[in-house]
Amino acid sequence: MADEISLREILPVLVERLTESPHDHNQLRPRPVLVLEGCGGSGRTGLLLDILDEWKNRTYAERLTSREWELADRESRIDPEERDPLRPLMVAIMVWLGKRLPGFRLNRMRMLVAHIAIGTDFRGMALDDQLRLLNAELDKYCDPQQLRGLLDGLARFVAAAIPNPPPPLNIVLDAAKAEWISGAVPVLVRKGMRRRLDHAVKWFGHRDLGTSHDLSIRSIPEHVLIDLSNHARQRDPVVQRGVDDMLTGALLADLRESVTRLGSRTPNILLLLDDGDLPMATAFTQSLLRVRELVAAAGAVAADPLTLVTTSSGALTAALYEQSGGEPDWAHTEVRTILAPDNASGHGSRWARTVVDRAAPALAARPWLRAELTGFTKNELLLRAGAIAPFHAQTIASNLERLAHRHHEATELSLQKISADHRLWRDIEALLSSRVQPDGRVPAQKRDSADDPAHRHVPTLERHLLQVFAAGLDPATRPTEELIDALVTISAARNLPEARSLLGLHNRDVIGDVQHPLYTSSTLWTTHPPDEATARMHPLARYLGLRALAVRTGPERDWNAVFELLRERCDRNDTVARLSCDRMLRRHIEVVGELAELHTRLSWQNWTALVSEILATPDPHARAPRVEALRGLYPEDTREWHIATLLAAVPSCRNPCMTDDATRDRLDHQIGRAETFLADPDTVPSRIRIWC
């Protein structure tokens, strides 16, 4: 099945096909953009680091993020009408491409010309004066010392994002020789440099869009550069898209020219863009796809040699679907769905290569691909559990799957804890209460307040995982306590519409409306096919949220208050919603009575479907009903007695903390007996309708 295709086996082969030279496997350019999509803790960044480790010595490969610049931009918006003309992410890419790599020499002259123009303020000047100033600026940077000063400044501008920025003058000359060359042969250097700049300037007249030979529609390059500078200072989003596209086009043109000189055996340039949901990263990805589409339509130049792998928690993929002008078609872009028809049996690198090679035409036909990181496969989980306790691997894997639902970070951390203390695989309560070292996702209030005792507090595993889910909603900021608190509140909701009804319980300065990522994230809220009415919160996030809600104090927002509000706002005709809330509010007699009445009127199939929905949520509250206590309210072997058994036993059986084999067997027996009694005489009971 598609959902059992191991992405950890597929991705290395897929990235290799997206990055290798055209000579290998006859891979045409351009290659699709690959988006690694998953919720917080799904292992997106870890996969990027694995890819970087594999490719860093084989081609230009780097992992970049715009997180620090996004924060600075949010905090510095003093004039809403004007913005810093520099694009930090584009500057970072230009600086990164200056590093030395054996066998490579990349040209970046068009990008350099664009940044010289952007760094010059032409506003308020007559056209002739603007042209003279542009010419003077270009001439100034023909001097290697002046050029080095410009590039040093750009390198400092993006130093926070590039761990080891290369010597900035590698764009043209070796930095150590710049001063000597500048003084020894100034005329030759200036003339040679000016020729290269002028060649780059001419590109802005046609921009690879098929207008280089059509003088009637060809732009004057210098005028385009002046307009680029003026428009780069505006905040109008439509204008900014045009600026982004011109800079992206310059980048792709430079890379095309560079790689063309190196031959058909040259692999692609590999850009690993983390935190792809951030505005700067999203703008770059969208711009790349727009420019590729325009260049392909023009048919004037060879395809670009850039491979982009980026990450998303859902916002980027939604933006890409919106840009394409259609409704999200998850199957059309999802890697495992594309691979599924050709899924050969087996595992390992040879199997992965076979699967990817068979699907190569279908993969190459997409402008972008979505690799949904749904967590470990069953076999991967078994292998990891077997490495810890080979004779208990199946039990460990089953217990962790019920808890984590294959969530990457939750599973990895749990296995680490179990490896250190084997008792934890049977004691999930103790596992969730164990401590983990905090990281960058610790709530901002606690991390920034060094004098607060909470600053030194090591969170429990369950609290850490809540922070992980909250951190995935906005990669630009650390999750606040208010955001985590809101996540806990909406965990009471069975679906997205119910969660929206709880908006009034949040801090509105943090969660302003239902357009907040807390409500729009397609990885926190999952459903197949996508449908708002059936969207469910990630089961691990919901379970952890319910555990936190169960111990929340304060009558206005505690367990009872939240479920009472849900009960008030549900449709009176929505039996499932009403009885689900009544169950959580301990109105067991009312729930049993209504289910008993419905049992006399509904078919067995419809009744079990309704009960399955009502009992779907595990109840982690300390006051959750016990089977003996609840069915003790009714005469034995009556309809009500058996319904009360289901009402207590099924949620208890679904609670991940219930790991004792004897207790689970007893619950299973009680559930089976109740089903046998309640089923139609001509119907063979089938437990998969009600319980796990």
Side-chain angles (χ1 to χ4, degrees):
M1 295 179 63
D3 62 349
E4 284 298 304
I5 294 178
S6 172
L7 276 180
R8 284 166 180 78
E9 293 181 348
I10 290 293
L11 280 178
V13 179
L14 181 57
V15 172
E16 182 176 353
R17 293 293 179 267
L18 295 177
T19 310
E20 64 189 4
S21 71
H23 184 272
D24 300 315
H25 298 90
N26 194 29
Q27 296 290 307
L28 299 178
R29 289 167 170 158
R31 312 284 168 75
V33 171
L34 177 60
V35 182
L36 306 180
E37 183 186 72
C39 61
S42 58
R44 297 167 299 185
T45 297
L47 286 172
L48 289 188
L49 294 175
D50 290 343
I51 295 170
L52 178 61
D53 188 60
E54 173 66 24
W55 283 91
K56 63 185 177 184
N57 295 320
R58 300 168 61 183
T59 185
Y60 276 87
E62 188 60 89
R63 169 183 167 265
L64 301 178
T65 176
S66 61
R67 183 187 296 115
E68 298 301 324
W69 302 312
E70 299 282 358
L71 287 171
D73 187 57
R74 293 182 186 187
E75 295 168 359
S76 64
R77 292 190 175 184
I78 300 174
D79 183 356
E81 301 300 326
E82 185 174 329
R83 58 164 290 166
D84 189 325
L86 287 176
R87 299 298 193 273
L89 190 55
M90 294 301 299
V91 174
I93 292 171
M94 185 173 73
V95 172
W96 157 57
L97 291 175
K99 73 176 182 179
R100 296 285 189 178
L101 194 67
F104 287 84
R105 179 78 176 194
L106 298 185
N107 168 47
R108 298 172 292 167
M109 296 304 294
R110 295 170 183 82
M111 295 179 68
L112 175 62
V113 166
H115 283 90
I116 289 174
I118 286 175
T120 306
D121 192 348
F122 298 98
R123 293 173 299 178
M125 302 173 64
L127 178 59
D128 289 344
D129 294 333
Q130 291 176 331
L131 293 171
R132 279 191 289 270
L133 178 57
L134 175 62
N135 183 68
E137 289 295 308
L138 293 172
D139 197 54
K140 178 175 73 175
Y141 291 115
C142 291
D143 182 344
Q145 291 190 40
Q146 293 287 343
L147 180 59
R148 182 177 183 181
L150 170 66
L151 297 175
D152 274 336
L154 292 176
R156 287 192 298 271
F157 180 63
V158 297
I162 301 182
N164 299 299
L169 204 61
N170 278 0
I171 193 169
V172 180
L173 301 167
D174 186 276
K177 300 178 181 178
E179 187 173 352
W180 178 85
I181 292 177
S182 181
V185 283
V187 176
L188 292 177
V189 170
R190 285 179 176 275
K191 285 185 177 180
M193 185 63 181
R194 187 58 196 248
R195 280 196 300 270
R196 298 180 68 185
L197 288 174
D198 288 342
H199 174 73
V201 168
K202 291 179 181 178
W203 177 86
F204 289 88
H206 59 83
R207 302 182 297 287
D208 293 328
L209 300 181
T211 60
S212 57
H213 303 294
D214 191 341
L215 298 180
S216 64
I217 60 175
R218 186 177 180 182
S219 303
I220 299 175
E222 293 80 4
H223 292 183
V224 173
L225 288 168
I226 292 169
D227 287 341
L228 174 64
S229 174
N230 292 334
H231 288 95
R233 289 167 165 77
Q234 300 179 20
R235 286 197 178 273
D236 186 327
V238 176
V239 171
Q240 291 315 301
R241 283 195 290 271
V243 173
D244 292 339
D245 290 356
M246 189 168 294
L247 293 175
T248 302
L251 165 66
L252 299 183
D254 280 339
L255 294 180
R256 271 195 300 269
E257 183 178 293
S258 301
V259 174
T260 299
R261 296 172 181 173
L262 298 174
S264 64
R265 294 183 181 272
T266 305
N268 270 20
I269 311 303
L270 178 58
L271 174 58
L272 307 173
L273 186 56
D274 208 352
D275 303 314
D277 291 336
L278 293 173
M280 291 183 191
T282 298
F284 175 78
T285 304
Q286 289 180 302
S287 177
L288 174 64
L289 294 175
R290 286 196 303 266
V291 171
R292 281 179 170 176
E293 185 177 3
L294 286 173
V295 170
V301 294
D304 66 84
L306 178 66
T307 295
L308 174 63
V309 182
T310 185
T311 62
S312 172
S313 63
L316 171 62
T317 51
L320 296 182
Y321 282 122
E322 183 179 0
Q323 178 169 282
S324 66
E327 290 295 323
D329 183 357
W330 306 110
H332 180 72
T333 58
E334 216 289 310
V335 168
R336 283 175 300 186
T337 304
I338 298 171
L339 297 179
D342 295 312
N343 183 14
S345 61
H347 296 279
S349 59
R350 181 176 297 180
W351 165 82
R353 291 180 186 279
T354 299
V355 171
V356 172
D357 288 344
R358 286 179 178 177
L363 293 168
R366 275 74 169 175
W368 64 280
L369 300 168
R370 182 176 63 94
E372 186 180 2
L373 306 180
T374 54
F376 294 106
T377 65
K378 181 179 180 180
N379 286 333
E380 287 172 336
L381 189 52
L382 276 171
L383 286 171
R384 281 165 168 75
I388 297 172
F391 301 109
H392 299 287
Q394 183 64 59
T395 303
I396 294 174
S398 297
N399 288 348
L400 288 186
E401 184 162 5
R402 279 197 299 270
L403 170 67
H405 295 269
R406 305 185 184 183
H407 183 269
H408 178 85
E409 186 161 347
T411 302
E412 288 282 27
L413 288 175
S414 296
L415 288 171
Q416 290 173 19
K417 293 289 183 182
I418 292 170
S419 178
D421 183 354
H422 282 205
R423 294 172 298 179
L424 295 178
W425 64 268
R426 283 194 176 276
D427 191 349
I428 301 299
E429 188 72 46
L431 175 66
L432 291 172
S433 301
S434 62
R435 304 290 179 175
V436 297
Q437 289 300 318
D439 60 13
R441 292 165 295 202
V442 170
Q445 298 96 319
K446 292 188 176 181
R447 195 173 177 187
D448 294 339
S449 179
D451 296 330
D452 188 341
H455 175 73
R456 297 183 296 274
H457 176 67
V458 179
T460 62
L461 175 59
E462 62 181 317
R463 184 66 179 179
H464 169 78
L465 292 174
L466 281 173
Q467 294 167 0
V468 166
F469 278 106
L473 299 176
D474 184 0
T477 61
R478 293 188 298 272
T480 62
E481 287 289 349
E482 289 83 358
L483 178 58
I484 297 172
D485 184 77
L487 177 61
V488 168
T489 298
I490 64 172
S491 68
R494 295 179 308 111
N495 51 44
L496 185 55
E498 284 189 5
R500 288 172 175 164
S501 73
L502 300 175
L503 177 66
L505 295 178
H506 305 324
N507 181 335
R508 300 302 289 274
D509 291 333
V510 177
I511 314 295
D513 53 39
V514 293
Q515 297 307 311
H516 189 277
L518 182 66
Y519 292 102
T520 60
S521 172
S522 62
T523 52
L524 178 64
W525 297 94
T526 57
T527 183
H528 299 283
D531 177 8
E532 280 192 356
T534 59
R536 300 290 198 269
M537 184 183 289
H538 190 288
L540 173 60
R542 189 176 185 214
Y543 178 67
L544 297 175
L546 285 170
R547 284 175 59 89
L549 183 61
V551 296
R552 180 189 280 174
T553 58
E556 295 182 355
R557 297 172 59 258
D558 65 1
W559 178 281
N560 285 346
V562 174
F563 280 105
E564 283 286 6
L565 182 59
L566 280 176
R567 179 68 168 78
E568 291 173 8
R569 296 186 174 176
C570 69
D571 190 328
R572 292 184 59 187
N573 296 321
D574 190 341
T575 303
V576 171
R578 285 191 299 100
L579 295 185
S580 295
C581 291
D582 285 342
R583 177 172 79 87
M584 292 303 197
L585 291 167
R586 316 302 167 209
R587 296 168 183 163
H588 302 128
I589 294 177
E590 292 87 340
V591 174
V592 170
E594 187 163 350
L595 287 179
E597 192 273 331
L598 289 169
H599 183 261
T600 64
R601 294 192 292 108
L602 300 178
S603 68
W604 171 247
Q605 182 178 4
N606 290 340
W607 189 83
T608 53
L610 181 140
V611 172
S612 178
E613 282 290 311
I614 294 171
L615 304 184
T617 304
D619 187 349
H621 200 284
R623 294 192 295 112
R626 302 294 184 263
V627 174
E628 291 73 15
L630 191 55
R631 69 183 183 180
L633 301 174
Y634 304 95
E636 187 173 351
D637 268 345
T638 61
R639 178 186 286 114
E640 289 78 5
W641 189 82
H642 285 292
I643 291 175
T645 299
L646 294 180
L647 195 60
V650 173
S652 181
C653 192
R654 284 178 167 167
N655 191 335
C657 290
M658 179 59 68
T659 59
D660 180 69
D661 291 337
T663 303
R664 292 188 65 84
D665 287 344
R666 185 174 68 255
L667 291 171
D668 186 69
H669 174 74
Q670 292 168 342
I671 291 169
R673 183 183 172 191
E675 185 182 38
T676 301
F677 180 92
L678 294 168
D680 291 339
D682 298 329
T683 302
V684 177
S686 177
R687 288 184 198 177
I688 60 171
R689 296 175 181 171
I690 301 181
W691 31 88
C692 50

